[in-house]
Amino acid sequence: CSSDLKQKRLRNVRKKLREVEGLQAQAADSLTEAQRRKVDRIGELRAEEKAAAAEVAAEERAAKGSSRRRKKPVAAKKDAKGNGGACPQGERKQGACSGAALAVGVLLPIFAVGLGLYQRSLA
């Protein structure tokens, strides 16, 4: 799996960094030529660690995001006849009932009744 390879790369880079940081703690004149070359690469290793850590984090976020469950849409309440609110029975079964249909079928009549009562109170 590519995720395992990225994590392995990150572990390896961190191991090299620990080794180089240990070499830095020693006296510079006691280091061999190969050890000095490793110490000179510390900036490159830190950049590689940062990139590898970012790749692992992105992989984990992608894996976490794909496992989330989607919420089910809220169904309209059924009326006395057993119909699903503003949605015609056939559309409800097919999942084609939208919020607009709900607004037209339920909210508009309520608004119209309220508007009629308001207009009567002004007269």
Side-chain angles (χ1 to χ4, degrees):
C1 185
S2 66
S3 177
D4 293 337
L5 292 175
K6 290 176 184 178
Q7 290 177 350
K8 184 176 180 180
R9 177 177 162 233
L10 180 60
R11 284 193 307 269
N12 288 341
V13 170
R14 286 183 175 164
K15 181 180 176 182
K16 289 177 186 178
L17 269 173
R18 283 192 304 271
E19 182 183 343
V20 170
E21 288 168 351
L23 290 174
Q24 279 184 326
Q26 297 178 7
D29 56 344
S30 66
L31 297 177
T32 65
E33 185 61 34
Q35 290 172 329
R36 285 189 192 120
R37 283 194 303 261
K38 284 183 181 181
V39 170
D40 291 340
R41 284 191 59 217
I42 194 162
E44 185 181 319
L45 287 172
R46 285 189 177 139
E48 189 175 346
E49 179 197 22
K50 187 176 181 180
E55 287 178 5
V56 169
E59 187 90 15
E60 288 174 353
R61 280 192 306 271
K64 184 179 178 183
S66 65
S67 66
R68 288 185 178 173
R69 293 183 185 175
R70 293 182 181 222
K71 291 183 179 180
K72 292 182 179 179
V74 178
K77 292 183 179 181
K78 293 185 178 182
D79 61 10
K81 296 179 185 176
N83 294 331
C87 299
Q89 191 68 19
E91 287 184 19
R92 182 165 175 77
K93 287 181 182 177
Q94 297 171 4
C97 183
S98 66
L102 178 67
V104 170
V106 176
L107 299 178
L108 190 59
I110 293 172
F111 177 74
V113 169
L115 184 61
L117 293 175
Y118 177 73
Q119 287 175 345
R120 285 187 201 132
S121 70
L122 292 176

